[in-house]
Amino acid sequence: MAGSIKNSLRLARAGLVLAQHGVRFVPAGMPVPLPLRLASALTAPIGWLAAPRLPREKRLSSALTSLGPSYIKLGQFLATRADVIGPELAGELSGLQDNLPPFSMAEARRAIEESLGGRVEDHFAEFGPPVAAASIAQVHRAAVIDANGQRREVAVKILRPGIERRFKRDLETFYFAASQIERWHAPSRRLKPVAVVDMLKSSTELEMDLRLEAAAISEMAENTANDHDFRVPQVDWQRTTRRVLTVEWIDGIKLSDHKAIAASDIDRKALGLTVMRSFLKHAMRDGFFHADMHQGNLFVDDRGRLVAVDFGIMGRLGTKERRFLAEILYGLITRDYRRAAAVHFWAGYVPSHYPVEVFAQALRAIGEPIHGRTASDISMADLLGQLFAYTEVFDMQTRPELILLQKTMVVVEGVARGLDPELNMWVAAEPVAKEWIESNLGAMGRLREAGEGASVIGNILADLPDLLTQGQQTALALADMTRDGLRLAPDTVRALAAEEARRNRWTRLALWIGAISLAALAIGQLSH
């Protein structure tokens, strides 16, 4: 009960902040219940008094930034979910920047000394002011003296003080809101709002343990060891803990520095192709990809190699998801729409009661127009948007494991096109998808699957005696229950009845709290 009240008050505060920024969070045309319309009419003056001066398209981003780190992360996630919040709001959130004022040098030094022990000077020959600050951590430039007496430049990433506590509190509120949506709004259940919060929670937990980020860098370094056009910084494990990460300082041109790139002799077309193909190789070949590949996290070094930094958000794809991605790309590239449709059914993304041919017809409606257009007119982001438009028609369930892939693909496309506006997405994707299909679904892939299958069968046979014993015990227990009937002690029955009555009381109260919360969230929304 107390938790419901606290979460409702936090949601009410968020609603007030949105209203003060003049945000309309209810998509145009969406039916709104009468109580919310009345609440909006009564509280509309707050929105008028706020008199927001920002352009409408920047108000939502500004409101979420003022609400703090958790809401910035939530906004970045929702930017990928046009199917949930509508294309207009998704467009507004796409420009949400994860930039916040840095915390003090004194706090940074204290964090290092608490994490590494001793004094800062015991670990770093030089420790400079912050060069970048985001919602979860900030980065400092520093220098170390290695075992050979050589000076090395490093980047030191430090978590914000108290960030774990704040995220835990806000995630509790997000779960409360998502569970209420799933419980009381049946059409939203297929969008799995709780699963979206699950992914946000999982992602931020990984981001807040910098040892895991170091491990991600190490894993990607192994995966890309033979890639001549891509690399990652080296990790300084000696100076890395849960709250402090030290890696090699990257000297190169940031891809967001358009003037520097234009003034260099960098082959922009080749670099754009490298950006796109690197992402696709990591996703399909390795099943492990950098899920925050915006141009601020990408550099080009003096040898023309693409270098990625900031591995706080990573994505993983299993064999099933990798096959899905490769087959979809290859099916659309080669105009084999039935094959692309069939893999949706094989993966379980489309319910089996729909004919494959009908879904293939929908994919043809998406794919055919792009084959008659120039490369500069073909947008993978638009393609994904059209594909998602069919999710409701075919009762497709949202796949949480693909959310980061979808988000990253759109971002990577923007980065690649910024380097080469005429980049042909299909020319870039075809060899990667084709190679994956040939190596995994061809003769060698079948042999590998056979070997893995034999291993699985061997494990099952080894466990068979235990499984038979457990099955026998379960059968005997069920026989006893069938013969004697299932009985509950009177105390148990009374306790269950009391608990059910208590739950009903709190449920009714929670409904009122939820209605009040929704009214608060509607403040000023419908009047703008």
Side-chain angles (χ1 to χ4, degrees):
M1 173 58 189
S4 297
I5 293 175
K6 285 193 296 185
N7 288 321
S8 298
L9 291 174
R10 290 170 189 162
L11 288 174
R13 172 182 172 270
L16 288 171
V17 171
L18 291 170
Q20 289 167 355
H21 283 77
V23 175
R24 176 191 174 94
F25 205 72
V26 179
M30 177 179 286
V32 180
L34 178 61
L36 292 187
R37 292 203 300 270
L38 292 174
S40 177
L42 292 172
T43 56
I46 293 179
W48 300 334
L49 292 174
R53 299 176 182 177
L54 286 173
R56 181 176 295 276
E57 64 274 10
K58 293 184 179 180
R59 293 176 189 173
L60 180 55
S61 295
S62 176
L64 294 179
T65 300
S66 68
L67 284 168
S70 311
Y71 285 86
I72 292 174
K73 290 295 181 185
L74 177 64
Q76 291 175 328
F77 264 74
L78 290 178
T80 69
R81 302 302 309 276
D83 55 335
V84 176
I85 62 175
E88 182 181 348
L89 287 174
E92 292 179 20
L93 288 173
S94 63
L96 181 60
Q97 297 297 311
D98 192 1
N99 295 323
L100 289 177
F103 52 89
S104 70
M105 283 289 286
E107 289 175 303
R109 292 178 65 90
R110 183 163 54 249
I112 290 174
E113 291 170 353
E114 289 177 353
S115 295
L116 300 180
R119 300 178 306 144
V120 171
E121 289 74 17
D122 296 332
H123 306 283
F124 300 100
E126 183 180 335
F127 184 77
V131 295
S135 56
I136 288 179
Q138 68 186 32
V139 177
H140 296 251
R141 184 168 185 170
V144 300
I145 305 299
D146 63 21
N148 298 320
Q150 298 294 316
R151 179 185 173 96
R152 290 188 294 108
E153 300 295 315
V154 295
V156 184
K157 185 174 184 178
I158 307 170
L159 291 185
R160 284 186 175 275
I163 192 66
E164 298 97 334
R165 183 174 61 256
R166 182 162 187 174
F167 261 91
K168 182 179 180 180
R169 182 196 68 192
D170 288 342
L171 281 169
E172 181 184 320
T173 302
F174 297 161
Y175 271 118
F176 175 77
S179 63
Q180 295 304 308
I181 291 171
E182 285 198 2
R183 184 174 184 179
W184 302 111
H185 191 248
S188 296
R189 289 171 191 160
R190 72 177 189 85
L191 302 173
K192 300 184 179 179
V194 171
V196 174
V197 181
D198 282 337
M199 181 160 286
L200 176 62
K201 177 178 182 290
S202 175
S203 174
T204 53
E205 283 179 345
L206 291 176
E207 281 194 83
M208 288 187 287
D209 187 339
L210 298 181
R211 296 168 300 185
L212 296 177
E213 180 173 347
I217 298 172
S218 176
E219 183 176 348
M220 182 159 278
E222 291 181 4
N223 292 342
T224 61
N226 296 321
D227 295 350
H228 68 278
D229 53 4
F230 179 91
R231 78 177 187 92
V232 298
Q234 293 182 333
V235 176
D236 185 338
W237 287 100
Q238 182 183 346
R239 298 172 179 84
T240 293
T241 66
R242 188 176 67 83
R243 296 186 59 83
V244 175
L245 168 66
T246 305
V247 298
E248 165 196 4
W249 180 266
I250 298 299
D251 276 319
I253 300 175
K254 191 177 287 190
L255 264 58
S256 59
D257 191 346
H258 302 293
K259 290 183 178 179
I261 291 178
S264 71
D265 58 356
I266 294 170
D267 186 338
R268 296 168 62 94
K269 290 183 178 293
L271 185 59
L273 195 61
T274 296
V275 170
M276 177 53 63
R277 284 186 177 165
S278 293
F279 164 67
L280 291 173
K281 281 191 290 188
H282 301 161
M284 280 188 276
R285 180 192 66 190
D286 308 326
F288 186 58
F289 61 92
H290 192 308
D292 198 16
M293 280 185 69
H294 61 76
Q295 54 189 355
N297 283 339
L298 298 172
F299 293 78
V300 56
D301 67 14
D302 55 3
R303 293 172 54 183
R305 293 175 298 180
L306 183 68
V307 187
V309 300
D310 194 356
F311 290 76
I313 306 176
M314 304 297 294
R316 288 192 184 273
L317 297 176
T319 303
K320 180 179 177 180
E321 288 74 35
R322 281 186 268 171
R323 178 179 174 181
F324 170 75
L325 176 60
E327 291 269 21
I328 289 299
L329 287 175
Y330 198 65
L332 291 174
I333 291 167
T334 59
R335 303 169 78 175
D336 189 346
Y337 301 114
R338 197 185 190 287
R339 178 173 180 169
V343 78
H344 278 75
F345 289 82
W346 168 83
Y349 296 163
V350 180
S352 58
H353 61 267
Y354 287 102
V356 175
E357 291 75 14
V358 175
F359 191 68
Q361 181 180 355
L363 291 182
R364 180 180 292 274
I366 296 171
E368 281 301 304
I370 68 176
H371 287 281
R373 295 161 65 186
T374 63
S376 60
D377 291 333
I378 301 172
S379 168
M380 195 169 287
D382 289 344
L383 184 72
L384 286 172
Q386 293 177 58
L387 186 60
F388 295 156
Y390 283 108
T391 60
E392 187 169 2
V393 175
F394 289 93
D395 299 325
M396 291 170 64
Q397 295 289 315
T398 299
R399 306 298 298 197
E401 70 272 19
L402 295 179
I403 291 176
L404 281 178
L405 176 73
Q406 297 159 0
K407 164 187 174 287
T408 310
M409 189 174 291
V410 173
V411 172
V412 169
E413 179 190 21
V415 175
R417 286 198 183 280
L419 293 164
D420 178 13
E422 296 182 352
L423 178 70
N424 189 320
M425 306 302 294
W426 308 114
V427 169
E430 182 175 12
V432 182
K434 184 178 181 181
E435 180 182 353
W436 192 93
I437 289 173
E438 288 177 349
S439 63
N440 288 273
L441 304 182
M444 292 303 295
R446 295 304 182 193
L447 286 174
R448 191 184 310 116
E449 285 183 1
E452 292 171 354
S455 175
V456 171
I457 291 171
N459 290 336
I460 292 174
L461 289 174
D463 292 339
L464 190 57
D466 291 340
L467 292 173
L468 290 173
T469 300
Q470 291 175 12
Q472 183 181 21
Q473 292 172 347
T474 302
L476 290 173
L478 287 172
D480 289 342
M481 290 172 62
T482 303
R483 182 181 65 252
D484 301 330
L486 179 64
R487 294 189 176 90
L488 295 177
D491 290 345
T492 303
V493 174
R494 285 193 293 272
L496 287 172
E499 174 63 21
E500 183 63 23
R502 186 185 67 83
R503 183 176 298 175
N504 286 338
R505 288 197 301 273
W506 294 137
T507 298
R508 288 193 295 272
L509 187 55
L511 285 174
W512 279 103
I513 293 171
I516 295 169
S517 300
L518 290 172
L521 284 169
I523 292 173
Q525 311 298 314
L526 306 177
S527 59
H528 295 282

